[in-house]
Amino acid sequence: MTQQGVRWTADQVLALAPDAASRKAGSKLGAAGPWSEAGSSSEGTVWGLCKGSGSKPYQTVIDIADAAGPAYKCSCPSRKFPCKHALGLLLLWADGEGAVPSAQAPDWAEQWMKGRRQRAEEKRTAGASGSSSGSGDPEAARRRAERRAVRVTAGATELEQRLADLLRGGLAGAEQAGYGMWEETAARMVDAQAPGLAARVRELGAIPASGPGWPVRLLEECALLHLLDQGWLRREALPGALSDTVRSRVGLPASADGPPVRDRWLVLAQYDTADVKLTTRRIWLYGTDSGRTALLLSYGAAGRAPELTLPVGLVLDAEVAAYPGAGQLRASLGEQFAPPAPASTRPPGVTTAEATARYGQALRDDPWLDSAPVTLDRVVPIQDGDSWQLADADADTALPLTPAARARPGLWRLVALAGGRPVRVFGECGHRGFTPLTAWPEGKGEAVRLC
């Protein structure tokens, strides 16, 4: 388990909830009343029987030590992961060993864990075999990559012509044409196997309806799209790292090929974004020894949460490997050497002026970057008319919050945490402002999730 005796906080448990309804229902089950035969093992397993509406109690078992975050099994019919029973059991376990003591796992829990260990070993064996024997036919893979590059080039060339036609006819035509024009263009980019270009084209379609000043925003985004097109068409002349960044932005797949870096990785933030087809989960990590920041991405089909779950405030003794590209922070989670455990570690903070400078430096490596991760030290949330900003407590500078951040309940949690005093805040700093994701009070105190 998280090294028997080291338990999560209630906030870390509730951060796993797939929605507000599950969070509320799970909180009601976080007491000893509905549970029987609850126990935990030093290997990271928690189990218990929860009384339900039927004659037989629900069997709930959780693997806390899993490298990809907690794994769950419950005999209830819920399709949510974790279900309310798993959340309730974790809350009960987080409350102390009195309610969930160390014990021998019952057969039904042990069988589930045995199956998980066996599958994990088979996966490791298959991975080792695959790495030693190579994957498929290299020559066939090279030919497939060449064919795809030809299609992407055709798509980028067509997109350049469409952008030229738009600017030649005037931006007012974009408002008159409506979203259909952009959707058709995006579909052409999908046909060209360039999903990154398709996504940026779809974003262009929403700008004419985004309020006053939209022509300026549309022109800016068209310029960035033109730059990406030209980067692809002239990729052979680019430095290797920048060429990798262009390939990533266009949407070509890549593997994490950087050397594994072992560190104690602090989970800074976790949040999901969703569209009609896909849910994307972003998890920010900070290496307490290396000082590196890394981004883990995982995906789930529409309506289903991604599998990778790492609650904010935990620390992982693990390896991560970086993806190729200039200034890219995306990484892949590798071998984990100890179960995740709570930590009092905080990332070092910078001033608001230094935060904007860091974003500017990041743009030199990746001009298409919307924001860069940064931790602000000693800032105070202050209302500025209809907007909010994070003001530097020791200087006459501030960062405005993004419109999205101002609309989230996390803003009021941040205001309440600060109470007019300086706090440390981790978030994403970009051209639209700062989006706070996690905050810590001055002195001692646990991380507060804002997203």
Side-chain angles (χ1 to χ4, degrees), residues 4-31:
Q4 190 69 25
V6 181
R7 307 201 175 216
W8 298 358
T9 67
D11 285 342
Q12 289 167 341
V13 172
L14 292 176
L16 302 172
D19 51 40
S22 298
R23 191 176 300 114
K24 182 178 180 179
S27 297
K28 294 180 179 179
L29 294 175

Side-chain angles (χ1 to χ4, degrees), residues 289-449:
D289 297 327
S290 65
R292 294 178 54 173
T293 302
L295 174 65
L296 306 180
L297 294 180
S298 60
Y299 304 94
R304 294 187 65 88
E307 291 187 2
L308 182 61
T309 300
L310 298 174
V312 173
L314 296 186
V315 67
L316 311 171
D317 180 4
E319 291 181 339
V320 301
Y323 279 77
Q328 298 300 296
L329 298 177
R330 186 184 176 189
S332 174
L333 183 62
E335 184 177 357
Q336 185 177 354
F337 301 96
S344 58
T345 307
R346 300 181 180 186
V350 300
T351 66
T352 54
E354 290 170 330
T356 55
R358 286 193 178 187
Y359 176 55
Q361 293 167 0
L363 285 177
R364 292 186 304 182
D365 293 328
D366 184 356
W368 306 278
L369 192 66
D370 287 329
S371 60
V374 66
T375 302
L376 300 175
D377 192 25
R378 290 184 53 77
V379 291
V380 183
I382 296 176
Q383 192 166 17
D384 180 23
D386 293 333
S387 302
W388 283 83
Q389 60 185 6
L390 292 178
D392 197 314
D394 303 314
D396 190 22
T397 57
L399 278 176
L401 297 189
T402 60
R406 299 197 301 266
R408 294 174 180 169
L411 169 61
W412 302 112
R413 289 199 291 272
L414 176 59
V415 172
L417 176 70
R421 297 180 298 274
V423 292
R424 185 171 299 188
V425 183
F426 170 78
E428 296 170 348
C429 180
H431 62 281
R432 296 183 179 90
F434 186 86
T435 301
L437 302 174
T438 307
W440 299 262
E442 278 204 315
K444 296 183 178 180
E446 298 171 350
V448 175
R449 189 168 180 256

Side-chain angles (χ1 to χ4, degrees), residues 141-205:
R142 184 188 65 80
R143 290 195 298 268
R144 287 194 299 271
E146 287 181 349
R147 289 195 296 270
R148 181 168 186 176
V150 169
R151 299 188 68 172
V152 174
T153 297
T157 303
E158 179 182 346
L159 183 55
E160 282 291 275
Q161 184 60 53
R162 294 194 178 209
L163 290 175
D165 292 342
L166 171 66
L167 297 178
R168 189 179 298 112
L171 295 181
E175 186 177 31
Q176 297 168 1
Y179 189 77
M181 175 187 72
W182 301 107
E183 185 57 39
E184 190 269 337
T185 303
R188 295 287 295 164
M189 296 305 103
V190 171
D191 293 340
Q193 295 184 299
L197 294 180
R200 298 190 79 92
V201 168
R202 289 193 178 97
E203 291 174 0
L204 292 181

